[in-house]
Amino acid sequence: MPEPLVALESAVLTHGLPYPLNLETAEALEAAVAQEGAIPKTIALVEGKVRVGLSREEKEALARGGAEKASLWNLPALLAQGKSAGTTVAATLHLAHRHGIRVFATGGIGGVHPEPYDESADLLALARTPLLVVASGPKAILDLRATLERLETLGVVLVGYRTDRLPAFFSPSSPFPVPARVETPLEAARVYLEARELGLGAVLLVNPVSQGLPFERVAAWVEEASHQAAREGIYGKALTPYLLRRLSELSRGETDRVNGLLLRENARLAAQVALALSGLE
Ligand code: PSU
Ligand code: MN
């Protein structure tokens, strides 16, 4: 029986949440996976090496700040230069796949930003990397409609976990329907095996957060934060961390609380799917 491994990303540790909440959250995610009986593997770059599974000291060092943000386009250079970095969904997917891991939990995926043009490498990585990814939908800072269209175009298998609507990260629902839903981790595992059989890319299992924030309220904060980013000329890989930090300030920490909660819930569900998958084989 294959081991029930669950990959966890580390950009949320280095760029997603403030210290020490980021470290506490990273530890809590591993604990949540282990509690379900699966094996957590947080992936990151540590001094020029790919690490699949981090020690407490490595997590602490990454959480304290100064680490880079590794996507695919800078991954080889960061390694060659001996750098430490948190890995985005795109980079984590790629590295997890190379290590034979089939299930991955994150908070929200990157996607299509509102104007000016900016589209996360997460989307193409999902299209070509055959893992089951549990997330609470695209991050709230994104253009949800455009991101959904790109997921369809790219042929990313999209499945709602006990929902017919696309979750919107901090909010459990949005106006946009998903093409399929499942009710159990076992059903999700079956969809994943069919996708593998067909040679498709990732299966994105979207999991609504249990206690989220109203969609309209988050949308208002996002609008304000996006205008500020535009005024300050923030773009590229700095944009997502900037917006998440501004949302945290505008919501007086509410978004950080929900971010922590949804990450834990996704880790738990990913562990359950990994176990179901091990049982099927
Ligand atoms: N989810 C979070 N916090 C984060 C991220 C996701 O709750 O920091 C990270 C993920 O690693 C994702 C990245 O891959 O943000 C997207 O960055 P970009 O938009 O620059 O591709
Ligand atoms: Mn980008």
Side-chain angles (χ1 to χ4, degrees), residues 8-34 40 42 54 56 59-60 63 105-108 169 253 255-268:
L8 299 166
E9 57 133 320
S10 51
V12 65
L13 179 64
T14 55
H15 291 81
L17 290 168
Y19 184 84
L21 183 64
N22 56 354
L23 182 60
E24 286 159 22
T25 304
E27 295 290 5
L29 297 186
E30 294 192 356
V33 170
T42 304
L54 300 175
R56 165 83 200 187
K59 271 173 267 176
E60 171 83 40
T106 183
F169 198 50
T255 56
D256 288 338
R257 178 188 65 75
V258 178
N259 205 342
L261 176 66
L262 64 86
L263 280 160
R264 283 170 177 77
E265 292 179 350
N266 293 344
R268 226 170 285 139

Side-chain angles (χ1 to χ4, degrees), residues 135-138 144 163 165-169 171-174 176 178 206-209:
S136 300
L144 272 191
T163 182
R165 303 267 155 194
L166 184 70
F169 198 50
S171 318
S173 192
S174 76
F176 308 107
V178 289
V206 287
N207 185 27
V209 65

Side-chain angles (χ1 to χ4, degrees), residues 6-13 25-27 29-30 39-45 50-55 58-59 62 87 92 101:
V6 175
L8 299 166
E9 57 133 320
S10 51
V12 65
L13 179 64
T25 304
E27 295 290 5
L29 297 186
E30 294 192 356
I39 304 163
K41 295 283 182 191
T42 304
I43 297 180
L45 307 191
V50 174
R51 302 277 289 123
V52 178
L54 300 175
S55 69
E58 288 171 330
K59 271 173 267 176
L62 288 166
T87 49
T92 310
I101 301 176

Side-chain angles (χ1 to χ4, degrees), residues 80 108 134-135 151 157 165 173:
V134 181
L151 288 168
V157 179
R165 303 267 155 194
S173 192

Side-chain angles (χ1 to χ4, degrees), residues 203-216:
V203 172
L204 179 59
L205 182 63
V206 287
N207 185 27
V209 65
S210 61
Q211 289 166 297
L213 301 167
F215 187 71
E216 292 73 26

Side-chain angles (χ1 to χ4, degrees), residues 9-13 15-17 69 71 87-90 92 106-111 113 118-122 139 141-142 169 236-241 244 259 262-263:
E9 57 133 320
S10 51
V12 65
L13 179 64
H15 291 81
L17 290 168
K69 175 175 163 184
S71 186
T87 49
T88 63
V89 169
T92 310
T106 183
I109 60 157
H113 288 261
D118 180 348
E119 186 175 324
S120 178
D122 292 357
K139 271 173 294 178
I141 55 175
L142 299 167
F169 198 50
K237 71 175 179 182
L239 182 61
T240 292
L244 291 175
N259 205 342
L262 64 86
L263 280 160

Side-chain angles (χ1 to χ4, degrees), residues 98-110:
R98 288 181 65 80
H99 282 79
I101 301 176
R102 299 175 306 169
V103 179
F104 172 20
T106 183
I109 60 157

